[in-house]
Amino acid sequence: MTNAELLNAAAAHAIRYLETLESRPVGATASLAELRVGLGRPFPETGEDPARVIEDLVRDAEPGLLSSAGGRFFGWVVGGALPTALAADWLTSTWDQNAATNATAPAEAVVEEIAGAWAREMLGLPSGASFAFVTGSQMGHVTALAAARHRLLRDRGWDVEAKGLAGAPPIRILATEGRHESLLRAARLVGLGTGAITYVASDTVGRMDVAAAAEALRQSAEIATIVWLQAGELHTGAFDRFAALCPLAKSADAWVHVDGAFGLWAAASPKHRYLLEGADQADSWVTDGHKWLNLPYDSGLVFVADSLAHQGSFAQTTSYAVPVDGFRNQKDWNPEWSRRGRGFAAYAALRALGRAGVADIVERCCAHADRLVNSLGALPGAEVVASPVINQGLVRFLAADGDHDHRTDAIVARVQEQGEAWFGGATWGGKRVMRVSVCNWSTSDRDIARAIATVREAVADCAH
Ligand SMILES: *Cc1c(COP(=O)(O)O)cnc(C)c1O
């Protein structure tokens, strides 16, 4: 087989996969143990035929794939891949650019400059904000915290890049209990530690209590502070009250960070944009292209208002990959050296969608989430725990014997087994709930109807 035949065969498998998503079980059909048997073998002494390797990979991996690329996957908040973005992503792998610098990847440097500026404009962020294309929100948080650490300590006469944190003035982070766990790892990685986090009270949908935040800022006011806010709470999709919290934090000289992994995209929609009022006053923002924008994975974006603090934490020079002055040099903003050209898929998707196209995805997903949560909540014995603010909601199922948690888990498991749709479980406010996230560009009215029908069946199967 020629290389061209090999690549065509792979493309044919990819296209067949996408075209059969309609009829595939949404969950995996093989267990991890079965997958290990299918894929496992002794490390081969000599190489195998490439065509055979790819054929086997397709056969042995497919039973272990979740159909999250399709329209009936409502677990976590994952999103699919727009065909335009996927096409650009294929080319990204093909072109094999090392996106570290503008010397190693000139086209990618320029594409990032353009796509980052488009995203910044669409998200309503300050035009002077710097940005980086990172793996995801997790590394976006690390990048933003490094910039925050730089500025907060520089203001206290401490050069953290040279001296590290040992002996440095302390930094604390004010957050709510509903924060995504990636905050904890970001705090670990930048050397602040999870002990630096102080939790501030929140309301029933997870929004930070403004009076409690004011009180927390007053206490130990001399300590350098990062206020961690959310645009789209993980379970409920709730937005912090930026218009009240940002000025409050600013008046205390705190750095405000916004975790908008999925929710920041609401800025594209005239209907939902009000949720982000005041968020442009923050110091750093993180979002994922691989969630609501529906780019393939490995596509987070971080923005920093104080570009000098951002650059001060990352820029370096070398003698062997000298960037061209006056053009964006990716490594000055990113935590990585060698990496994939993440800008190409973002550029292609944003161009193909335009502001109206992104708004349309956001508004369709929100409308689907609303219909799904309300329809599921109206099933016999069901209850809406959180109505969608945007594309997220929570439902639970009551049991005659009072063990609602058990019945809710049983119904979630039953739906996953049926394979028509996929929802996950979680604990919210001490109760087991079914999470409903609609984040895929391709979800249709028919997908929503199929999802409601399969949950209705599961509810009937799992007796009260
Ligand atoms: C998904 C998510 C993250 C983590 O993002 P990754 O892209 O997985 O690193 C952080 N915060 C929130 C609110 C999320 O939904």
Side-chain angles (χ1 to χ4, degrees), residues 132 134-150 161 173 181-192 226 228 255 257-259 284-286 301-304 309-310 313-314 333-336:
V134 291
T135 47
S137 291
Q138 173 70 79
M139 284 313 289
H141 294 332
V142 168
T143 307
L145 286 189
R149 191 182 65 171
H150 173 97
E161 281 71 38
I173 302 171
E181 282 71 10
S182 52
L183 159 60
L184 309 189
R185 290 207 303 185
R188 278 151 60 168
L189 290 173
V190 299
L192 300 179
I226 296 165
W228 188 276
W255 177 288
H257 178 71
V258 177
D259 180 353
S284 54
W285 306 261
V286 151
L301 260 171
V302 54
F303 300 87
V304 180
H310 185 184
S313 341
F314 292 97
W333 315 100
N334 269 73
E336 307 95 337

Side-chain angles (χ1 to χ4, degrees), residues 76-78 134-141 178-183 185 228 230-235 259-263 286-291 297-301 392 435:
W76 304 295
V77 203
V78 296
V134 291
T135 47
S137 291
Q138 173 70 79
M139 284 313 289
H141 294 332
R179 83 284 172 275
H180 189 274
E181 282 71 10
S182 52
L183 159 60
R185 290 207 303 185
W228 188 276
Q230 300 196 96
E233 202 271 346
L234 181 61
H235 297 294
D259 180 353
F262 57 94
V286 151
T287 195
D288 274 323
H290 55 228
K291 287 183 178 169
Y297 281 98
D298 195 348
S299 192
L301 260 171
Q392 305 280 118
R435 298 182 75 234

Side-chain angles (χ1 to χ4, degrees), residues 151-152 155-156 172-175 200 208-229 240-258 278-284:
R151 195 187 75 197
L152 292 170
D155 289 353
R156 286 163 178 76
R172 64 175 176 162
I173 302 171
L174 302 179
V200 177
M208 186 177 278
D209 184 289
V210 177
E215 181 52 32
L217 284 165
R218 259 195 304 278
Q219 285 169 13
S220 324
E222 72 291 352
I223 299 183
T225 303
I226 296 165
V227 178
W228 188 276
L229 301 181
D240 276 317
R241 294 178 186 85
F242 304 108
L245 289 165
C246 289
L248 198 61
K250 285 311 183 73
S251 66
D253 282 330
W255 177 288
V256 180
H257 178 71
V258 177
D280 58 338
Q281 297 167 53
D283 295 282
S284 54

